[in-house]
Amino acid sequence: MTVRGSGGPKVLLELVAALTLAAACGRGEAPADLVFRGGAIYTVDAARPSAEAVAVRDGRIVFVGDAAGAADWIGADTEVVELAGRLLLPGFHDTHVHPVSGGVELGECDLNPASSIEDVERIIQACVAREPDAPWLRGGGFQLPLFPDGAPSKELLDRLVPDRPAFVTSADGHTGWANSRALALAGVTRATADPPPDGVIVRDAAGEPQGTLRERAMDLVGRRMPPYNHVQTRAGLERALEMAASFGLTTLHEASAGEAYLRAYQAAESAGTLTARVIVALATDPDKGAAQVTDLVALRDRFRGTLVRPSAVKIFADGVIEGGTAALLEPYLDRPGFRGELRWPPEELAAMVAALDQAGFAAHIHAIGDRAIRVSLDAIEAARRSRGRAGGPRHILAHIQLFDPADIPRLQGLDVVASFQPLWAYADTYITELTEPRLGPARSRWLYPIRSVVETGAVVAGGSDWSVTTMNPLPAIEVGIRRRDPDEDDGQAWIPEEQVDLETMIRLYTMGGATAGGLDAETGSITSGKAADLVVLDRNLFEIPPHEVGDARVVLTVFGGRVVFRRDAGR
Ligand SMILES: [Zn+2]
């Protein structure tokens, strides 16, 4: 459909206006705090997909309709936002994001901007110079494809940081890069075994640790580093919230939090600085199995707020394909016989998901490889069968990169949320150099099959996995439509069969996220009675070429009726 700002037949408008006026006067309603009019409004509410005006009062949407009807809600203190051809949408939802760790990382040595090894060197040297007395050099965000085999060496880091231990993580969070001092402090030598089930200490030809640590092996160094204190996590969260508001995000699914992060969220809510609803997935330890659910329930009870809802639990089913740590049904082509490892043995995963289901938690499962997706669906299927009744929590599979097509219909059948990172669904170097060569063309056809999943009728949601990739939903919405590099205007679509339309992509980032978090009645669409979580974009996405969607900018973000971001003229 097309959403346009212009009105319908004038006579009809006047009639409706008269009726609305009478109704409003009859109720003796107080005026609205905010009224939006004069542009395009796409509501993501099937009962009324578009409107001319929206009114907000006391944090809630009180009117969705025509311009004349909205006029009745305008009083002396009402702020009227003239959309002037711009687009009003429901506030965006990010269904998989790491606000606290990402925000803390922004305050450390941030390698996200680096697009070459020279950039990495320059940034690290600047970080060292900036904090000459810091006991560690810590940071993250480097791109694996910059280094041969995605494995940067300790010698390079020794040269950049000779005087203290250094440990930085990759943008995807599944690989760490340590210098010799950090390895020595952690006692990692040629005698150290790879930590099971999926840890990899990358070694040189002589068997010496080479500097790259994958998955569980990252903990060998990670646990030697001082934990972040409350001031650092609070500051990190505030940075992330500011960024989220600037991207129009009003609901965040924190993808992995322990007690320290929960304290940061709780403090932000108490201080009134929380500018998003937050569904928190509590972190788990595969070694503790289903026994840890009692502790998770206690955490949920302790930290549940109005906006902060620790209603989910994070489980890693596997790792990532580019690191060779995702669990596949068939072997990696570059490692004959090797199919990757599951982080939880299937029977333990099933016991955990069943225990979470019983306790009313949504399992938020990181599942990347087709084997991880299959065992996760098996676990959810078993849990639902043993529950034996309808309702209960809706579980989430996140990332869902590689499918066996036979498993696609199971998402809808089991009422599982399919949580994609649509920004990853184009042929960048992660795909062309580190993924497709390991899978071959036949299996690669089923990478990020967004359209196939949407067509089953499953609940589909979108997330950034920030700080892995940008928190901005608009480039991700564009990639979902085009499956091309969002920075390029033309070129070949990657697996064009899996492209979807703009309405679908907007739904992923609005109602899809709300449903994923059990917030369908509260937010996710522009519907009378719902919370006023809204975003104004600087252009109407429905009237521009698809390759410009990612360039659109948020000009205003409203959370619960409060303006939490307003772009200054000229910014
Ligand atoms: Zn994540």
Side-chain angles (χ1 to χ4, degrees):
M1 64 157 292
T2 308
V3 177
R4 290 176 197 280
S6 55
K10 194 160 184 292
V11 177
L12 183 64
L13 268 186
E14 282 167 357
L15 179 65
V16 174
L19 289 171
T20 313
L21 185 66
C25 291
R27 286 198 309 271
E29 295 275 12
D33 302 319
L34 271 170
V35 165
F36 298 86
R37 66 179 185 192
I41 298 173
Y42 182 59
T43 65
V44 197
D45 180 344
R48 181 199 276 276
S50 62
E52 290 177 4
V54 169
V56 170
R57 196 185 59 203
D58 299 330
R60 308 207 81 87
I61 297 164
V62 291
F63 173 84
V64 183
D66 57 75
D72 195 47
W73 288 91
I74 298 171
D77 296 327
T78 306
E79 180 185 350
V80 178
V81 178
E82 298 290 353
L83 292 170
R86 297 173 298 184
L87 176 65
L88 180 73
L89 291 174
F92 292 130
H93 294 229
D94 190 324
T95 312
H96 188 104
V97 59
H98 300 273
V100 181
S101 61
V104 168
E105 197 180 296
L106 280 182
E108 297 189 316
C109 196
D110 178 15
L111 294 169
N112 282 292
S115 56
S116 66
I117 293 186
E118 293 70 40
D119 289 349
V120 169
E121 295 183 10
R122 189 175 42 72
I123 292 171
I124 292 178
Q125 280 165 336
C127 293
V128 169
R130 194 176 64 211
E131 290 191 276
D133 301 324
W136 280 75
L137 183 284
R138 301 171 76 154
F142 70 84
Q143 302 295 326
L144 285 176
L146 295 181
F147 301 95
D149 299 321
S153 73
K154 65 183 175 190
E155 286 79 13
L156 175 57
L157 200 49
D158 287 346
R159 185 161 63 69
L160 300 169
V161 194
D163 60 339
R164 64 191 105 162
F167 190 63
V168 294
T169 52
S170 60
D172 70 2
H174 291 262
T175 290
W177 176 22
N179 69 357
S180 296
R181 279 182 175 240
L183 292 171
L185 207 67
V188 178
T189 66
R190 58 186 305 157
T192 311
D194 286 353
D198 58 358
V200 176
I201 301 168
V202 177
R203 297 163 203 269
D204 65 18
E208 281 293 325
Q210 166 274 3
T212 296
L213 305 171
R214 301 203 200 277
E215 307 292 349
R216 269 300 178 92
M218 295 169 68
D219 297 346
L220 296 170
V221 173
R223 64 177 175 232
R224 301 285 161 176
M225 297 195 294
Y228 295 119
N229 62 39
H230 186 60
V231 173
Q232 290 169 307
T233 51
R234 266 307 302 278
L237 176 58
E238 295 299 333
R239 277 184 211 111
L241 288 170
E242 201 178 309
M243 182 184 276
S246 77
F247 289 139
L249 291 158
T250 52
T251 299
L252 305 172
H253 287 235
E254 155 65 70
S256 185
E259 189 172 336
Y261 289 13
L262 286 164
R263 283 182 55 217
Y265 284 110
Q266 191 174 56
E269 180 162 13
S270 309
T273 59
L274 198 60
T275 51
R277 292 164 219 289
V278 185
I279 302 292
V280 180
L282 304 173
T284 55
D285 179 349
D287 294 339
K288 293 185 184 157
Q292 67 198 300
V293 174
T294 316
D295 293 342
L296 298 173
V297 169
L299 272 184
R300 177 174 65 187
D301 292 346
R302 226 174 106 202
F303 288 99
R304 184 168 18 211
T306 306
L307 299 175
V308 178
R309 303 184 197 197
S311 55
V313 169
K314 174 68 172 293
I315 298 173
F316 281 96
D318 67 345
V320 293
I321 294 174
E322 52 266 26
T325 53
L328 308 183
L329 290 167
E330 298 296 330
Y332 286 85
L333 295 183
D334 58 340
R335 288 183 70 184
F338 178 73
R339 300 192 299 148
E341 304 290 348
L342 291 165
R343 289 212 194 173
W344 295 64
E347 59 285 359
E348 285 179 30
L349 179 70
M352 180 65 171
V353 172
L356 293 174
D357 193 90
Q358 282 296 333
F361 277 117
H364 183 136
I365 307 178
H366 164 122
I368 290 214
D370 48 7
R371 187 155 55 104
I373 290 173
R374 177 161 298 169
V375 299
S376 299
L377 289 169
D378 290 347
I380 291 166
E381 189 169 39
R384 292 181 70 91
R385 206 182 307 121
S386 72
R387 195 208 299 152
R389 58 182 163 77
R394 188 179 268 124
H395 304 296
I396 300 176
L397 292 194
H399 312 315
I400 45 178
Q401 185 171 357
L402 177 67
F403 274 87
D404 182 314
D407 287 322
I408 290 176
R410 300 179 70 198
L411 292 163
Q412 191 275 335
L414 296 168
D415 199 18
V416 170
V417 176
S419 169
F420 283 104
Q421 278 65 56
L423 184 67
W424 303 352
Y426 72 95
D428 64 357
T429 50
Y430 281 93
I431 294 287
T432 58
E433 288 173 25
L434 298 176
T435 304
E436 286 176 331
R438 291 184 154 120
L439 301 174
R443 291 151 82 193
S444 295
R445 158 68 184 84
W446 297 104
L447 289 164
Y448 306 120
I450 300 176
R451 185 186 185 115
S452 297
V453 173
V454 165
E455 284 180 346
T456 65
V459 175
V460 186
S464 66
D465 207 5
W466 185 78
S467 60
V468 176
T469 40
T470 177
M471 210 195 278
N472 184 355
L474 289 158
I477 288 171
E478 179 185 319
V479 174
I481 300 165
R482 300 177 66 235
R483 291 182 78 104
R484 290 168 173 88
D485 186 337
D487 293 332
E488 284 172 18
D489 292 353
D490 41 32
Q492 206 84 34
W494 179 69
I495 320 179
E497 304 91 306
E498 297 296 346
Q499 293 170 322
V500 294
D501 61 16
L502 177 61
E503 288 87 344
T504 300
M505 286 309 302
I506 292 174
R507 187 156 42 88
L508 257 67
Y509 280 91
T510 54
M511 263 327 282
T515 306
L519 298 173
D520 349 18
E522 181 70 9
T523 182
S525 66
I526 301 177
T527 304
S528 242
K530 282 195 176 184
D533 297 350
L534 303 162
V535 59
V536 178
L537 303 183
D538 66 352
R539 63 199 87 177
N540 183 349
L541 303 182
F542 293 90
E543 292 185 340
I544 59 175
H547 69 81
E548 283 178 21
V549 167
D551 304 328
R553 306 232 282 172
V554 169
V555 291
L556 189 74
T557 305
V558 175
F559 173 64
R562 185 158 63 100
V563 173
V564 293
F565 173 77
R566 196 189 293 266
R567 188 174 300 278
D568 306 332
R571 251 214 291 179

